[in-house]
Amino acid sequence: MNALIEARNLIKTYNGVAAVNDISFTVSPGEFFGLLGPNGAGKTTTIRMLYGFSPLSQGRLTLFGQNITTHWRAIKNRLGVCQQDNTLDPDLTVEQNLLIYAGYFLIPAAEARDRAAELLDFFALGHRKDAKVMELSGGMARRLILARALVNRPELLILDEPTTGLDPQSRHQVWEKLAALKKRGLTVLLTTHYMEEAASLCDRLMIIDHGRILVEGAPDDLISRHAGRQVIEIDGADVALRAFVAENGIEMDDLGEKVIVYTPEASDLHRVIQEKFCTERCTFRNGTLEDVFLRLTGRELRE
Amino acid sequence: MIDYRVFSLRFLKVWERNLVTYRRIWKVNFITPLLEPLLYILAFGLGFSGMIGDVKYAGLVLDYTRFMAPALIATAVMWNAFFETTYASFVRMYYQKTFDGMLATPLSLEEIILAEIVWSATKAVGAAAIMMTVLGFLGFVAFPSGLMLLPVALLGGLALGAIGMFFTGITPTIDMFNLPIFLFITPMFLFSGTFFPVSNLPVWAQPMALAFPLYHLVEMTRCFALGASDTHPLLSGLYLLLFFLVFGALALRAMRRRLIT
Ligand SMILES: Nc1ncnc2c1ncn2[C@@H]1O[C@H](COP(=O)(O)OP(=O)(O)OP(=O)(O)O)[C@@H](O)[C@H]1O
Ligand SMILES: [Mg+2]
C-alpha cells in the first residue's frame, strides 16, 4: 500500500540553526504513529511542516501522494490538526467553534450542524454546546479541539501533545476516544511526553532529539532492543555491584545513589544479582518505553 | 510576488466568522455612530460655529456645521477600519491565536488577512450608514447622492484597514500602536480638511495633506453630501484604491514574514 505520509530528508532551520535536521519517515494508511522526543527536540517543527504551516528548508514531503509545497490546499482539506497551543476561538461558543471551523472547509451549513452534533455527542460535550470556550475545563477544551479537528472527516489526524496538562481521568477519556478512532481505521500521528500513552496507542514510533532520529520501531521491539525485558532498580548500590555489572557487560545506568540494571531476558545474571546484591531496597520490574526514552536521550534537563 | 492561487472566495468564511462574533456585541457598537454625530453637531454647531462664521469651500459659502458634518462620516470610517485591523486583529492574531487555528485548515494566510481588511471596511460601512441616516435626518446629507457614501465608506475602509493591517504586521507589542496613531492617524485626523479647509494650511503643507487617505475620503463624503468638492471624486477614489492595493500588498508581506516561520 502507498504511504500516506512520506517524508524524505526534512530539514528546517531557524536563523541557521537546524530545528529539524534530516528526518525521514513514512506512515502507512491506518497506522498510529508516534513522534517522541524531549522538549525542543523538533516535534512541533516537524508537525508544522506536515500540515503545511512551515515551509521546508530542505527535503521532500508528500501526503496522500501529493507534494505539500504545491498541493497544500488539497492536502489540508484531508487533514485534522490539533496544535500544541489552544487555538480554540474564544469569541465563539463551543458549537460555533465547530460550525465556523467547518465553514473553513466549505462544508455546507446543514451538514456542519449534523457533524457538530455528532462530534459533541462523541466527545461528551453536548450539554455544554452553548458555553463559551473560556468556561470549559482543560479536559473539555482539549476534547473540543479534538472534535474540531475531526469536523472535516479527515483521513489523517495530526495531534501535537493532545493530553498534556490533563488530569488522569481526562487523559484516559482522550485515550479511549483515540483508540476508538483508531479502530475505525483513521491514520494518526501523535506527539506526547507520556510514554505509556505512546506505548499503548502507537503501532510504531520514532524518538527524535536535536532534530535527528534516534530510533524507530514498534514500542515492544524498541523496549526489548534498548531496555531489555527485565529491569532492576537498586538503591544504595555498592562498589561490588558496579564491579559485577561491569565484569559481565550488563547494561546499566548509574544515577549515583541509584543504579538501574537492564538484564537480558531469561538470563542467569538477573537471578545472580537478585541473590547477591539485593539485600535491601531493590525494585524488579519490566522494561518500559520510558527506559528506552531516557537511555537514548539522556537524563539531563532540557532548556 | 504573490501567487494568485493563494486567493479564493474562501476568505468570505473568515469574514463570516467576524460577523458571527460581532452579532453578539452589535448593540453596543450601534450606539457610538448613532450618538457621536449628534454630540459633534451639538458641540461644534452650537458652541463653535458662532465664533467661526462661514467657511468658503469649493466655491460654496457654508456655515461651519454644514462644512464639518460630512467629515464626521469620513473620520468614523477611519477609526472603525483602523482600530479593527490594529487592536482587534492583533488580539486575534497574537493573544487568541485565531489565525494559527485557521492556518491548519485549507485557508491561506492571504485569505485570512484579506478577510480581516474587508471585515474592517464592512464595519466602517455599517458606521457610515448609521451616521448618514442620522445626519440625513438633520439635513446635513443630500439624497439620493448621499447613498454614494456607502461605496465611498467601503473604499475608505479598505484603504485604512489595509494600512492598519500593515502596522499590525510590523508592530512587536500591542502598546506600540500608540506610535502610528500619534505619528500618522492624529495628524491625518486634524489636517485632512476635516475641521478646516486644507486651503487654510500654509502652502508648503498643503501637498502633504493631499497624500493622506483621509483627505480624499473627506473630499468624497463632502462631494456626495454637499454636491461639491475641491478634488474630483474619481481622482480621490482612484487614490484610495491605489492606497488599498499598495498597503494591502505590504500588509500581506509583513504578515507572511511575521506568522509563517
Ligand atoms: N519559530 C521559531 N523560530 C526560531 N526557533 C524556533 C522556532 N520554532 C521552534 N524553534 C526552535 O526549534 C527547536 C525545536 O522546537 P520544537 O517546538 O519543534 O520542539 P518540540 O519537540 O515540539 O518541543 P516541546 O516538547 O517543548 O513542544 C527548539 O530549539 C526551538 O527553540
Ligand atoms: Mg512541541
Side-chain angles (χ1 to χ4, degrees), chain A residues 14-15 19 37-46 48 84 160-161 193 208 303, chain B residues 261:
Chain A
Y14 293 114
N15 311 315
N39 291 140
K43 303 181 295 296
T44 300
T45 307
T46 306
R48 283 199 179 141
Q84 186 169 356
D160 199 349
E161 299 190 23
H193 290 299
I208 66 172
E303 294 175 340
Chain B
T261 52

Side-chain angles (χ1 to χ4, degrees), chain A residues 174-241:
Chain A
V174 168
W175 289 347
E176 215 174 274
K177 297 302 174 196
L178 291 181
L181 291 169
K182 177 183 172 177
K183 226 183 216 153
R184 290 188 202 168
L186 190 66
T187 312
V188 181
L189 185 143
L190 162 111
T191 79
T192 179
H193 290 299
Y194 296 106
M195 295 302 131
E196 44 168 332
E197 173 174 322
S200 75
L201 288 172
C202 295
D203 301 313
R204 208 153 54 82
L205 55 84
M206 186 164 96
I207 300 178
I208 66 172
D209 198 7
H210 305 296
R212 291 180 179 280
I213 300 176
L214 298 177
V215 285
E216 194 206 305
D220 280 344
D221 292 346
L222 292 179
I223 293 168
S224 42
R225 248 191 292 155
H226 297 279
R229 280 287 140 218
Q230 270 141 15
V231 178
I232 314 170
E233 293 187 18
I234 303 157
D235 279 313
D238 57 11
V239 183
L241 170 76

Side-chain angles (χ1 to χ4, degrees), chain B residues 14-254:
Chain B
V14 178
W15 181 88
E16 202 179 308
R17 177 243 169 244
N18 287 341
L19 183 69
V20 167
T21 62
Y22 183 70
R23 279 207 301 240
R24 308 203 328 194
I25 50 164
W26 70 273
K27 280 181 193 132
V28 185
N29 282 261
F30 207 74
I31 293 169
T32 320
L34 201 67
L35 296 184
E36 198 184 56
L38 295 176
L39 283 177
Y40 269 92
I41 295 293
L42 210 66
F44 282 78
L46 296 180
F48 221 53
S49 64
M51 290 161 60
I52 294 172
D54 291 342
V55 179
K56 288 198 185 66
Y57 172 77
L60 303 174
V61 179
L62 301 164
D63 75 58
Y64 184 71
T65 326
R66 283 196 88 70
F67 168 77
M68 185 217 43
L72 293 177
I73 300 178
T75 54
V77 165
M78 175 184 83
W79 289 119
N80 270 282
F82 191 80
F83 267 88
E84 187 65 24
T85 53
T86 48
Y87 289 100
S89 292
F90 195 93
V91 167
R92 286 193 279 272
M93 168 189 79
Y94 188 84
Y95 294 101
Q96 303 187 349
K97 307 211 179 298
T98 311
F99 298 174
D100 285 351
M102 290 172 178
L103 284 170
T105 75
L107 284 164
S108 69
L109 178 68
E110 284 75 9
E111 285 158 350
I112 296 168
I113 300 309
L114 176 66
E116 292 280 303
I117 295 172
V118 173
W119 168 248
S120 75
T122 310
K123 273 186 85 174
V125 170
I130 296 168
M131 293 182 74
M132 179 187 85
T133 313
V134 176
L135 291 173
F137 267 110
L138 298 175
F140 292 109
V141 175
F143 285 105
S145 70
L147 289 176
M148 279 299 289
L149 291 174
L150 298 179
V152 166
L154 180 67
L155 198 52
L158 288 173
L160 284 145
I163 194 167
M165 191 46 97
F166 168 66
F167 287 127
T168 298
I170 59 172
T171 298
T173 65
I174 197 160
D175 334 292
M176 298 271 276
F177 283 128
N178 289 338
L179 213 62
I181 286 176
F182 177 70
L183 293 177
F184 173 64
I185 293 290
T186 307
M188 178 160 76
F189 177 66
L190 295 172
F191 298 110
S192 288
T194 31
F195 300 107
F196 57 88
V198 168
S199 55
N200 286 15
L201 288 173
V203 175
W204 60 265
Q206 290 182 15
M208 268 156 56
L210 260 60
F212 285 141
L214 183 61
Y215 168 79
H216 295 277
L217 190 54
V218 170
E219 281 295 303
M220 287 174 88
T221 53
R222 288 223 172 90
C223 174
F224 294 112
L226 299 173
S229 60
D230 278 339
T231 320
H232 194 286
L234 209 59
L235 285 180
S236 286
L238 275 174
Y239 183 81
L240 289 179
L241 186 65
L242 199 69
F243 198 90
F244 161 60
L245 291 174
V246 169
F247 278 96
L250 289 175
L252 290 178
R253 206 175 68 155

Side-chain angles (χ1 to χ4, degrees), chain A residues 59-123:
Chain A
R60 186 182 157 77
L61 178 58
T62 58
L63 287 93
F64 312 109
Q66 291 175 308
N67 190 320
I68 188 76
T69 310
T70 49
H71 291 75
W72 54 272
R73 213 194 285 269
I75 292 170
K76 282 164 117 181
N77 231 329
R78 302 163 74 177
L79 294 182
V81 181
C82 289
Q83 287 148 319
Q84 186 169 356
D85 295 325
N86 178 349
T87 59
L88 289 173
D89 200 325
D91 294 333
L92 301 171
T93 66
V94 167
E95 189 187 29
Q96 280 175 335
N97 258 282
L98 299 183
L99 297 179
I100 294 285
Y101 213 70
Y104 302 152
F105 291 89
L106 305 183
I107 296 165
E111 169 84 36
R113 270 194 299 278
D114 288 349
R115 290 193 196 180
E118 190 184 303
L119 285 166
L120 289 176
D121 193 42
F122 182 67
F123 285 103

Side-chain angles (χ1 to χ4, degrees), chain A:
Chain A
M1 195 133 194
N2 285 338
L4 207 151
I5 301 176
E6 192 164 1
R8 289 274 156 262
N9 309 104
L10 297 189
I11 295 181
K12 180 75 194 178
T13 51
Y14 293 114
N15 311 315
V17 181
V20 167
N21 197 353
D22 198 16
I23 281 186
S24 301
F25 63 96
T26 59
V27 177
S28 307
E31 218 177 0
F32 209 118
F33 187 80
L35 185 56
L36 308 184
N39 291 140
K43 303 181 295 296
T44 300
T45 307
T46 306
I47 279 184
R48 283 199 179 141
M49 288 190 274
L50 284 175
Y51 72 86
F53 183 94
S54 297
L56 319 188
S57 300
Q58 273 179 60
R60 186 182 157 77
L61 178 58
T62 58
L63 287 93
F64 312 109
Q66 291 175 308
N67 190 320
I68 188 76
T69 310
T70 49
H71 291 75
W72 54 272
R73 213 194 285 269
I75 292 170
K76 282 164 117 181
N77 231 329
R78 302 163 74 177
L79 294 182
V81 181
C82 289
Q83 287 148 319
Q84 186 169 356
D85 295 325
N86 178 349
T87 59
L88 289 173
D89 200 325
D91 294 333
L92 301 171
T93 66
V94 167
E95 189 187 29
Q96 280 175 335
N97 258 282
L98 299 183
L99 297 179
I100 294 285
Y101 213 70
Y104 302 152
F105 291 89
L106 305 183
I107 296 165
E111 169 84 36
R113 270 194 299 278
D114 288 349
R115 290 193 196 180
E118 190 184 303
L119 285 166
L120 289 176
D121 193 42
F122 182 67
F123 285 103
L125 287 165
H127 61 300
R128 300 305 303 273
K129 76 182 173 68
D130 295 320
K132 295 223 181 76
V133 164
M134 299 285 212
E135 297 161 8
L136 299 181
S137 69
M140 286 197 272
R142 204 53 71 98
R143 265 142 56 203
L144 181 57
I145 295 174
L146 275 170
R148 193 180 68 168
L150 292 168
V151 84
N152 60 322
R153 305 239 161 100
E155 293 157 68
L156 169 63
L157 190 59
I158 296 177
L159 308 171
D160 199 349
E161 299 190 23
T163 54
T164 298
L166 299 187
D167 65 18
Q169 285 85 351
S170 304
R171 213 156 63 216
H172 279 275
Q173 197 174 20
V174 168
W175 289 347
E176 215 174 274
K177 297 302 174 196
L178 291 181
L181 291 169
K182 177 183 172 177
K183 226 183 216 153
R184 290 188 202 168
L186 190 66
T187 312
V188 181
L189 185 143
L190 162 111
T191 79
T192 179
H193 290 299
Y194 296 106
M195 295 302 131
E196 44 168 332
E197 173 174 322
S200 75
L201 288 172
C202 295
D203 301 313
R204 208 153 54 82
L205 55 84
M206 186 164 96
I207 300 178
I208 66 172
D209 198 7
H210 305 296
R212 291 180 179 280
I213 300 176
L214 298 177
V215 285
E216 194 206 305
D220 280 344
D221 292 346
L222 292 179
I223 293 168
S224 42
R225 248 191 292 155
H226 297 279
R229 280 287 140 218
Q230 270 141 15
V231 178
I232 314 170
E233 293 187 18
I234 303 157
D235 279 313
D238 57 11
V239 183
L241 170 76
R242 286 189 170 84
F244 177 82
V245 164
E247 235 167 69
N248 291 279
I250 304 171
E251 297 270 351
M252 174 188 87
D253 281 338
D254 196 336
L255 311 185
E257 270 301 292
K258 184 157 110 181
V259 160
I260 305 179
V261 176
Y262 304 92
T263 54
E265 218 161 340
S267 81
D268 259 7
L269 297 166
H270 182 255
R271 193 182 45 77
V272 176
I273 291 174
Q274 183 174 5
E275 284 170 3
K276 268 177 120 173
F277 301 101
C278 279
T279 47
E280 48 181 330
R281 286 167 298 160
C282 256
T283 314
F284 298 88
R285 57 176 180 79
N286 292 328
T288 62
L289 196 57
E290 188 134 343
D291 295 318
V292 179
F293 187 89
L294 287 170
R295 301 211 74 202
L296 291 172
T297 59
R299 289 173 184 270
E300 300 79 41
L301 278 183
R302 298 308 166 96
E303 294 175 340

